[in-house]
Amino acid sequence: EVVLTQSPATLSLSPGERATLSCRASQSVSIYLAWYQQKPGQTPRLLIYDASNRATGIPARFSGSGSGTDFTLTISSLEPEDFAVYYCQQRYIWPPVTFGGGTKVEIK
Amino acid sequence: EVQLVESGGGLVQPGGSLRLSCVASGFTFSSYSMNWVRQAPGKGPEWVSYISRTSSIIHYADSVKGRFTISRDNAKNSLYLQMNSLRDEDTAVFYCVRVLKQLTDEVHFDQWGQGTLVTVSS
């Protein structure tokens, strides 16, 4: 099973700042990694798939990069609605499909 | 508009059974592989099960293998999850989830239902 480790667990930033979230896989997942955003009481929302492709309707301030075992989600300038929990997920070696433990982006 | 509407959750005693249903609309259901994903209170998502477009390929997480059965009825645009021998640790919101791309088995998830809560407790 591919274990995805996200860091940091919590990121405290102010609106307008740049957010950099990390996801590390226990073995290579090539480019087959996605990022999701989840706000309290809502379902996860797909942001990025296959490492760097923005899903439909996702603003350009969200970008993804990486391959192999190290991946990054960058939010170039935080908007108030971006404060949420972010999860990574791999589809390269499955079953099982696996998710990371999440990074909470909170207002500083 | 894509809609996935789950039902069938509730309170059940350990060892009991439940059957979850999901009705899909707004897209060609038979063209998409489908999944169940659950999320325990305060935890991240956990993939539970996958079913291909024609039901020819089915996968389960080890934690539910032998206890849960996924199925679908393309004529009814419906996805199901039969859950037997339920345990305390199965307590979660269960989501019906569609894969991103039709006619593929690429398991990134772009459409999620609102979920149905399953509580296993005596």
Side-chain angles (χ1 to χ4, degrees), chain B residues 10 13 16 18-19 24 26 29 32 35 37-38 41 49 55 67 74 85-86 96 100 105 108-109 119:
Chain B
Q13 292 187 337
L18 280 176
R19 188 189 193 216
F29 182 70
Y32 288 84
N35 298 261
V37 175
R38 67 184 178 184
S49 185
S55 305
R67 300 188 298 124
N74 288 340
S85 304
L86 283 160
C96 169
L100 173 63
D105 61 358
H108 287 328
F109 308 125
T119 304

Side-chain angles (χ1 to χ4, degrees), chain A residues 13-76:
Chain A
L13 295 168
S14 300
E17 289 194 293
R18 183 183 188 90
T20 303
L21 287 67
S22 174
C23 177
R24 176 162 289 178
S26 59
Q27 56 189 293
S28 175
V29 297
S30 185
I31 62 164
Y32 301 116
L33 188 110
W35 291 93
Y36 299 84
Q37 176 194 67
Q38 188 173 30
K39 299 178 184 179
Q42 296 187 17
T43 62
R45 174 194 182 197
L46 178 65
L47 300 174
I48 302 287
Y49 66 95
D50 293 347
S52 61
N53 296 290
R54 270 190 303 277
T56 301
I58 302 303
R61 64 181 181 274
F62 291 93
S63 63
S65 63
S67 65
T69 60
D70 290 298
F71 299 85
T72 300
L73 174 69
T74 301
I75 310 170
S76 59

Side-chain angles (χ1 to χ4, degrees), chain B residues 23-36:
Chain B
V23 177
S25 61
F27 65 101
T28 304
F29 182 70
S30 59
S31 294
Y32 288 84
S33 301
M34 297 295 295
N35 298 261
W36 289 98

Side-chain angles (χ1 to χ4, degrees), chain A residues 32-34 36 38 43-44 46 49-50 87 89 91 94-97 99, chain B residues 39 43-45 47 50 59 95 100 105-110 112-114:
Chain A
Y32 301 116
L33 188 110
Y36 299 84
Q38 188 173 30
T43 62
L46 178 65
Y49 66 95
D50 293 347
Y87 296 99
Q89 174 249 321
R91 67 169 182 88
W94 75 285
V97 174
F99 290 85
Chain B
Q39 190 166 25
K43 303 293 186 182
W47 171 81
Y50 164 96
H59 295 299
Y95 296 104
L100 173 63
D105 61 358
E106 297 175 8
V107 281
H108 287 328
F109 308 125
D110 76 324
W112 299 61
Q114 284 304 302

